Amino acid sequence: MGRKIAMLGSGFIGRFYADSIHSQRSKDRIVSIYSRREESAQKFAADYETPHWTTAMEEAINHPEVDVVCIALPNNLHEAAVMACCKAKKAVICTKPLGRNAEEAKRMLEAVEAAGIFHGYMEDLVYTPKFSKALQSVQAGALGRILWAKSRETHPGPHSEWFWDKEQAGGGCILDLGCHCVEISRSFIGKDIKPVEVMCWADTQVKPIDAEDHAIALVRYENGAIGQFEVSWTFRGGLDLRDEVMGTEGTIWLNNFLRTGFDMFTTGKGADYVAEKAESNTGWLFPVGDELNDLGYNHMFADMFNAIEQNKAPRESFYDGYVVNAILDAAYRSAASKLWEPVKLDIWRGLEGVAKGASLVDYDEHHYLIKEEKTHFGSTKLILKEKQSGKIIEVTR
Amino acid sequence: MGRKIAMLGSGFIGRFYADSIHSQRSKDRIVSIYSRREESAQKFAADYETPHWTTAMEEAINHPEVDVVCIALPNNLHEAAVMACCKAKKAVICTKPLGRNAEEAKRMLEAVEAAGIFHGYMEDLVYTPKFSKALQSVQAGALGRILWAKSRETHPGPHSEWFWDKEQAGGGCILDLGCHCVEISRSFIGKDIKPVEVMCWADTQVKPIDAEDHAIALVRYENGAIGQFEVSWTFRGGLDLRDEVMGTEGTIWLNNFLRTGFDMFTTGKGADYVAEKAESNTGWLFPVGDELNDLGYNHMFADMFNAIEQNKAPRESFYDGYVVNAILDAAYRSAASKLWEPVKLDIWRGLEGVAKGASLVDYDEHHYLIKEEKTHFGSTKLILKEKQSGKIIEVTR
Amino acid sequence: MGRKIAMLGSGFIGRFYADSIHSQRSKDRIVSIYSRREESAQKFAADYETPHWTTAMEEAINHPEVDVVCIALPNNLHEAAVMACCKAKKAVICTKPLGRNAEEAKRMLEAVEAAGIFHGYMEDLVYTPKFSKALQSVQAGALGRILWAKSRETHPGPHSEWFWDKEQAGGGCILDLGCHCVEISRSFIGKDIKPVEVMCWADTQVKPIDAEDHAIALVRYENGAIGQFEVSWTFRGGLDLRDEVMGTEGTIWLNNFLRTGFDMFTTGKGADYVAEKAESNTGWLFPVGDELNDLGYNHMFADMFNAIEQNKAPRESFYDGYVVNAILDAAYRSAASKLWEPVKLDIWRGLEGVAKGASLVDYDEHHYLIKEEKTHFGSTKLILKEKQSGKIIEVTR
Amino acid sequence: MGRKIAMLGSGFIGRFYADSIHSQRSKDRIVSIYSRREESAQKFAADYETPHWTTAMEEAINHPEVDVVCIALPNNLHEAAVMACCKAKKAVICTKPLGRNAEEAKRMLEAVEAAGIFHGYMEDLVYTPKFSKALQSVQAGALGRILWAKSRETHPGPHSEWFWDKEQAGGGCILDLGCHCVEISRSFIGKDIKPVEVMCWADTQVKPIDAEDHAIALVRYENGAIGQFEVSWTFRGGLDLRDEVMGTEGTIWLNNFLRTGFDMFTTGKGADYVAEKAESNTGWLFPVGDELNDLGYNHMFADMFNAIEQNKAPRESFYDGYVVNAILDAAYRSAASKLWEPVKLDIWRGLEGVAKGASLVDYDEHHYLIKEEKTHFGSTKLILKEKQSGKIIEVTR
């Protein structure tokens, strides 16, 4: 038997979640929908054959059939929804970011743990099939020691009006998109490794809004690895969703959206076909095959619901959401102060005092190896460092 | 309630199917496994928690809990399995190709129709998310009239020994890989459009086998469109799985395997990681995120099982399998005769007598438009044909 | 001291050649321009600072300063121009295709050889930097024995009106584009290997013209290798120029135009910028960095002029042009007869009687190796063939 | 008549320059080679048919035939070489970076201007064909107002031993690679726009050296645009050379090395072929067609020598080299101080006091437009901001 879900929120993301939960041959079903607007709740109920709809949030949560609550509401409403789930002792999964800041996120984390309920943090982009397979390779050592992990998410701006309002959203593109990127980098570097400090540039370059519409940040981890995010609501050309990882023994490049092996050119004369989310509907277009699967939704819900059934923790919990919020808080402080700002983590459950990675490679008793390369002539050229003198020499074999 | 499946065959493809049927949050379950070898049946049953295993095929088919039979056997065993399903009046879905030739396929088609049972043809590659979305675009007219549809599948050779034996397999790479390519092209061109004749080159260029290990063919359809397939068991570099479509108003390029937005470089020093199906495990590798989904298995089973539940035909039935076999038969005859060979279709349920597409574009009363282009200088250059004289002229505006 | 060139023809290709000849720090100069139209000759002379212009072809050829004649005329005018060069005993280089058919080409070849003048065939696409480096790799054995070499050139149709007129052009896209593709395939397979027979499909699918606007052909070489070309004037999306080579030990994919590492998106609001040769000027565009160099013109002229100075043959001579024409003739015959048509080569200077390549790989005394692969479980799976019985077996180590 | 060049330095870069200067049909010639080692000078002279060689730098510079001096020496020797050219009143072109710091660069700039000699800064990567065409598009407005320009250059470390020695090189990968990236970003943003401040992270993550082997920096320009560089000597997989530009109306992505339309797979069994600069010689390789041209050398020398002949300034002069050094100095200070550090420009010849770009788009009298998009249902959704209240609203048409 599958899960019975109450969906809180019937907007863009709520519908995306519903499409995924009901997709393919799923045994899970949404049994109650809550929306602030009656018209919207009714339409959702009709579209997804949801037996119960309501404009009273607690009614959905407390619905006797419901065993999991899925929060798909604007950021400023997450906390109240989580508290209601705690009261009802229902398993809760919450969309990203968890809070508008670490303080909110911490209160939510402490509340669900005090209530003893299941809690999942719906960071879908660490559940994409590409990311999961890349992470396995990294964890199997295929890239050696991780030095740098970047995630970039940029597009021409979000769909719903509340994102553009700083009070409801809690911030701009850093909060909206940076939360994805931070968790991606953190996963590649290792979730046990402590994020230490953040340097962030942010600006409102284009849009007539109070929040930032473009930001770039570096996150330094205790072991010397660097996380990076590049986020923007001003990108032209569609949805740019790319990750890059550098390790001592390898490299990974993931492209999740604009170049995935599907290229289409159309003059537009054939029909008034409009490609999803593209900024144009003629010329070269780059559709994604199966957004629900490729963006990680299917695997995310599978992990969440399996974890509930197996009584174990999901890959992403409110604790992860809290760590992400703490890193983003530091990014906001840094953008304002123009300084590297420390990541403040009252709660930290990973490793402490990890030394900076090092990998001196001995060439022989007296030398370190700096570089070895084949020359055009087929011989081997070595750049070595004398251990005692520190002098750098070149040897060709 | 989901489907209860008997799986016939516990080899590479049977396991792939089982992985897909049980994937994510599926409500469907394999309840019986038949294998010719007891050891293999037992291992499968253990791995997939299958309650019943047997080395007697009919026992699996007739198992009281089973409501769908999934044939994942070598080509020479399909017909007997289908006949057993007819006898048992159980819904049957069969792996590709349906038969070793059209004669076998036709007998199977006639048998399932006479028995009145559900029949699905498991051509997974017309269920890949990319293909499905591309097909929607084509059907919506985004490419105009389709002129040419090519599908290419090449790799270093199949996994199991029976593929390499002409008697068991019925042929070489034409039958093994061409069946995919033919149905892909046919779908883009239109399944109602009659395939008329085939020209095929085939050779055994590398492998010490009787069957062909490399072939290229053209399939002419009644409306003048051309299907093309390129298949080989001698390709080096992994699994090359690409489709290309040309229409009067657009182009589609699909790359399903080697370039899907996942690039990894590894020196191999980090760990003895082996990438799936790749020919090497160091250097640049191109993994696929989620093979089960990206190769179409998930959507194929969803279509099959939904169709059973909704009492309708699946997207691919034994009729399609029969048409594919008829085209492949013509390809084999052509490879031998070196002539264009007619496609022999005793059973044809599509359109008849479709005229060749034409699209004369009037420029004005007296001229057809051949081409219009912008010059370097910003003016418009027209190539026109005078309707009366047939003379071709150039006009710059 | 550089070369002094007479350019015959001031149209699109003549100007492209001139741009290349005068490019960068070249020491070569065009000293005379012949055009059929005075206005056009004068404009060319002004644009390229050419000291002498004329509407009398022989005047340009015989101009005392001229030491090389470059033919950039419509196909039907090549022969007369070549004959005039023979008379004047001037070195001649001719654009592609050499003749409208092999008969014309053969007369030109015999004439230049009788006259004892230098003759170069300007097949630029075997001079592109990518092609040259790929060919070196192939010749160094990086791909093993070559099995198949495909070249594809498709675009929305040529620039000048004479191309669309069958009499002047001698044919449609087979002659216009196929000449490139044939020489590319032939070079990869080996210019010493005899082309034996051709199977070609051709049709006029879209344009209101007499000649073909779409064709696909296979060329079988004596050693069993297959050349393939795909050519069209009906492609939508720009200029598609790709080559693929399969060998027993490797693969090469070249993309010369639409995907070369330069991606641009523009809304078109910024400026009325028009990208060269693209079919649209908004959305995603894929410019080529340096067309003159990337299409091979610079390296082609360097080879031609260096060969003249060093008194040796260029990489491409009229003999190559003749072989190409002979293959295209067979393609035209095949498109009409629907049969594999022999390539008629009265003149053949390569190898004779080359046996079909074979590469039986011994596994041990009693078995041939068919395939070796790593399984998921890390073991090695072998597909072997028993030498005596011919039986195929599977062994896992 | 072409230029007569004295080459100072016979190492990797000197040979690369010589290959380019003598390439194709060039009229320019190297007439004197200076190397610190006699053996190396002699070998260069033999390889490039250079009539004169010497181990005395001034002898090469003062050679009577020489009219241009090309400095291809380690960073710490640039200044002395430039001063010698000033004394000899010979035109000078210098490799990158100009100085080890802005102080050195400023002295060189002031010296060549005082001497009244031609001076060119050999920043080849702003001469690549792709970059040049991209820059034209940007300057034509195809991308609107430039918001961000990133350049990334990473590889497994330089060829010669002096790079790894901080005293001779003046720094690590920031100086070696950052100089390219800074000038690329600056060109896209506009060379007249003042670079204001820099934030840089740098670390020695892998190599046993004193200098940094990985760094990331942001450069803020006066108009609010952001330049970014990512540089490393620890990247695995070859030479990663990519640029990205975001503007209000478009996007450009350039990939100069690892993905340019040339893919090769080789088992390595065919031959012991070694691909240039790749880290491996089997598996998937990505060669570049024509490094000399694609890396900008040919176009750079053409611009330099043409400028000398036409008595005008080249695209890149010592002034540009000085500005680049000043930005890199700020990057080094920032990496140490962890603060945004001002760019100190004693000499600045661009615009002053440029205001931050802004682009409020009026929707109607009372609203600004934030975003306009097509919904799934074909209607138009607008996100607007009320001018008076600042409230954000959503309207669907």
Side-chain angles (χ1 to χ4, degrees), chain A residues 93-94 118-133 135 180 183-184 187 191 243 254 256 291-307 313-317 320, chain B residues 24 289-290:
Chain A
I93 55 181
C94 183
F118 177 94
H119 51 100
Y121 174 56
M122 292 198 284
E123 176 41 68
D124 58 290
L125 291 185
V126 299
Y127 285 101
T128 72
K130 280 179 191 165
F131 176 86
S132 294
K133 197 173 265 192
L135 185 62
H180 290 302
E183 193 62 351
I184 287 169
S187 298
K191 283 165 77 171
D243 307 323
L254 300 182
N256 289 298
E291 291 190 24
L292 294 175
N293 205 66
D294 294 353
L295 289 177
Y297 293 110
N298 294 357
H299 294 83
M300 177 178 74
F301 285 115
D303 178 54
M304 294 292 167
F305 298 158
N306 288 342
R315 268 171 56 192
E316 295 282 313
S317 73
D320 297 295
Chain B
Q24 296 182 3
D290 181 352

Side-chain angles (χ1 to χ4, degrees), chain B residues 183-198:
Chain B
E183 192 63 349
I184 288 169
S185 293
R186 187 181 160 241
S187 298
F188 279 126
I189 290 168
K191 284 166 75 172
D192 271 352
I193 306 300
K194 202 168 186 175
V196 177
E197 56 180 356
V198 180

Side-chain angles (χ1 to χ4, degrees), chain C residues 234-286:
Chain C
T234 68
F235 177 75
R236 307 311 301 258
L239 172 52
D240 186 20
L241 205 53
R242 280 179 290 162
D243 307 324
E244 299 185 20
V245 192
M246 277 172 64
T248 51
E249 302 298 335
T251 295
I252 283 180
W253 294 338
L254 301 182
N255 197 329
N256 290 298
F257 231 78
L258 281 171
R259 298 292 184 276
T260 62
F262 189 158
D263 298 14
M264 178 162 80
F265 179 89
T266 172
T267 62
K269 281 180 203 157
D272 57 356
Y273 174 82
V274 178
E276 262 176 87
K277 283 193 175 178
E279 284 208 282
S280 61
N281 55 8
T282 61
W284 282 105
L285 307 173
F286 300 91

Side-chain angles (χ1 to χ4, degrees), chain D residues 137-354:
Chain D
S137 296
V138 165
Q139 290 175 341
L143 267 61
R145 178 163 57 89
I146 299 306
L147 304 171
W148 174 74
K150 184 182 83 169
S151 181
R152 175 177 175 85
E153 180 166 0
T154 63
H155 58 54
H159 299 280
S160 303
E161 92 283 18
W162 66 263
F163 280 99
W164 302 93
D165 180 284
K166 204 170 176 175
E167 170 54 26
Q168 287 182 75
C173 62
I174 292 179
L175 204 62
D176 177 30
L177 307 177
C179 61
H180 291 303
C181 299
V182 157
E183 193 62 352
I184 288 169
S185 292
R186 187 181 160 240
S187 298
F188 280 126
I189 289 168
K191 283 165 77 170
D192 271 352
I193 306 300
K194 201 169 187 173
V196 177
E197 56 180 356
V198 180
M199 164 52 65
C200 181
W201 164 85
D203 199 357
T204 310
Q205 287 186 310
V206 177
K207 303 288 184 182
I209 56 173
D210 297 329
E212 73 285 353
D213 61 16
H214 193 177
I216 300 168
L218 300 177
V219 182
R220 195 172 64 76
Y221 285 78
E222 200 174 30
N223 66 351
I226 288 288
Q228 180 174 335
F229 67 74
E230 297 174 8
V231 293
S232 180
W233 286 345
T234 68
F235 177 77
R236 306 312 300 257
L239 172 52
D240 185 20
L241 207 53
R242 282 179 289 163
D243 307 323
E244 300 185 19
V245 192
M246 280 172 63
T248 50
E249 301 298 336
T251 295
I252 283 179
W253 294 338
L254 300 182
N255 197 330
N256 289 298
F257 232 78
L258 281 171
R259 298 292 184 275
T260 62
F262 188 158
D263 298 14
M264 178 162 81
F265 179 89
T266 173
T267 63
K269 280 179 204 158
D272 57 357
Y273 174 82
V274 178
E276 261 176 86
K277 283 193 176 176
E279 284 207 280
S280 61
N281 55 8
T282 61
W284 282 105
L285 307 173
F286 301 90
V288 160
D290 181 351
E291 291 190 23
L292 294 175
N293 204 66
D294 294 353
L295 289 177
Y297 294 110
N298 294 357
H299 293 84
M300 178 179 74
F301 285 115
D303 178 52
M304 294 292 168
F305 298 158
N306 288 341
I308 290 172
E309 292 170 6
Q310 295 159 21
N311 202 23
K312 65 176 192 184
R315 268 173 55 192
E316 295 282 314
S317 73
F318 278 23
Y319 169 68
D320 297 295
Y322 160 70
V323 174
V324 169
N325 267 129
I327 293 172
L328 295 179
D329 280 3
Y332 276 108
R333 289 199 313 274
S334 173
S337 70
K338 303 185 71 174
L339 301 172
W340 284 87
E341 291 283 350
V343 179
K344 293 181 188 164
L345 283 167
D346 298 341
I347 304 172
W348 173 247
R349 294 165 181 172
L351 303 173
E352 294 279 1
V354 174

